[in-house]
Amino acid sequence: MLELAILGLLQESPMHGYELRKELAAKLGAIRAAISYGSLYPTLRRLQAAGWITEAGQAPATAEEIPALTSRRGRVVYKITAEGKERFAELIAQTGPESYEDTGFGVHFAFFARTDRATRLRILEGRRRKVEERREGLRDVLSRAAERLDAYTLELQRHGLDACEREVRWLEELIANERSGRAPAGSTPGTVPDTPGTVPDTPGTGPGPAKEHNPPPPGQSRNEPERP
């Protein structure tokens, strides 16, 4: 997934490592927590060795961009090659189970504008099946073991079930849009949220309390600041 994200970003413009980190955060939103930034430079070296990216020179860097104990490689500017563009097209067209999981779906979704409609539909439908399976598992737990759970565990299970139900509704809306040839309008309620894996306000509820029910990113509490 990191390979796909890097190649996709470098198609927009050449960047050095620090810029890539910032753009990954901006492009992927909350799901960036699932991507190890410690693997960024090894992945860049691997992509370069494969001929998918190449160095485009050096860029001046500030102390912020190259903190202590970071080598000059942070200033190397990378650009995608013709082979890299072919590799990106290959990766973005893949629709296997990995593209239905939380991180895989999020990265693919971030580049949906460059994906053909048939592929988008396969990924959305696969993600919906995945979330429906998760939803049914939570329903099963609540129906068979609710009386054995303490109040907080029970509330957590209900929260997870509510998140799954809302994501299924969101995915169904996106699927309907794709089938009818409509693109989602991200600036209005009831359409694509800022980060895959959460859902927008339902039509008619407005931007107020409904968003309070959106779950925080995995491993992060609602009041905890985002990880760098």
Side-chain angles (χ1 to χ4, degrees), residues 104-121:
F105 174 73
V107 174
H108 275 273
F109 193 90
F111 295 103
F112 259 18
R114 304 186 206 171
T115 309
D116 64 85
R117 191 199 305 182
T119 301
R120 290 196 300 264
L121 266 173

Side-chain angles (χ1 to χ4, degrees), residues 92-104:
I92 202 68
Q94 292 179 0
T95 59
E98 186 180 19
S99 62
Y100 311 148
E101 299 291 343
D102 293 346
T103 302

Side-chain angles (χ1 to χ4, degrees), residues 7-40:
L7 292 175
L9 289 174
L10 290 180
Q11 285 208 71
E12 298 174 1
S13 67
M15 300 182 197
H16 57 70
Y18 182 78
E19 290 173 319
L20 280 167
R21 290 188 62 176
K22 290 198 301 182
E23 289 301 315
L24 283 168
K27 190 82 170 176
L28 304 183
I31 66 168
R32 68 185 181 275
I35 294 178
S36 169
Y37 288 114
S39 63
L40 176 60

Side-chain angles (χ1 to χ4, degrees), residues 16-186:
H16 57 70
Y18 182 78
E19 290 173 319
L20 280 167
R21 290 188 62 176
K22 290 198 301 182
E23 289 301 315
L24 283 168
K27 190 82 170 176
L28 304 183
I31 66 168
R32 68 185 181 275
I35 294 178
S36 169
Y37 288 114
S39 63
L40 176 60
Y41 287 106
T43 303
L44 287 170
R45 290 195 297 270
R46 182 168 55 82
L47 295 178
Q48 188 174 7
W52 296 329
I53 65 174
T54 187
E55 294 183 11
Q58 296 279 328
T62 65
E64 177 190 8
E65 293 175 335
I66 302 185
L69 304 181
T70 302
S71 70
R72 287 174 56 86
R73 68 183 181 183
R75 294 187 293 179
V76 174
V77 176
Y78 298 94
K79 66 178 181 179
I80 194 168
T81 64
E83 292 80 5
K85 292 178 180 179
E86 293 177 0
R87 176 60 174 167
F88 174 79
E90 175 187 333
L91 291 173
I92 202 68
Q94 292 179 0
T95 59
E98 186 180 19
S99 62
Y100 311 148
E101 299 291 343
D102 293 346
T103 302
F105 174 73
V107 174
H108 275 273
F109 193 90
F111 295 103
F112 259 18
R114 304 186 206 171
T115 309
D116 64 85
R117 191 199 305 182
T119 301
R120 290 196 300 264
L121 266 173
R122 286 195 295 272
I123 293 175
L124 289 170
E125 289 169 347
R127 174 65 178 179
R128 181 178 60 182
R129 289 192 300 272
K130 185 71 178 179
V131 179
E132 285 174 339
E133 291 172 2
R134 189 179 300 169
R135 179 188 64 185
E136 295 311 308
L138 289 168
R139 284 177 175 172
D140 186 55
V141 168
L142 288 171
S143 66
R144 294 191 299 114
E147 67 280 357
R148 299 198 300 271
L149 300 176
D150 63 78
Y152 293 99
T153 303
L154 183 60
E155 183 63 22
L156 182 63
Q157 297 296 315
R158 287 172 175 164
H159 175 69
L161 177 59
D162 180 62
C164 287
E165 289 174 339
R166 288 183 287 114
E167 184 174 353
V168 168
R169 291 195 297 271
W170 172 63
L171 289 165
E172 287 175 344
E173 181 179 348
L174 289 172
I175 290 169
N177 285 340
E178 291 292 339
R179 287 175 175 165
S180 63
R182 297 192 307 269

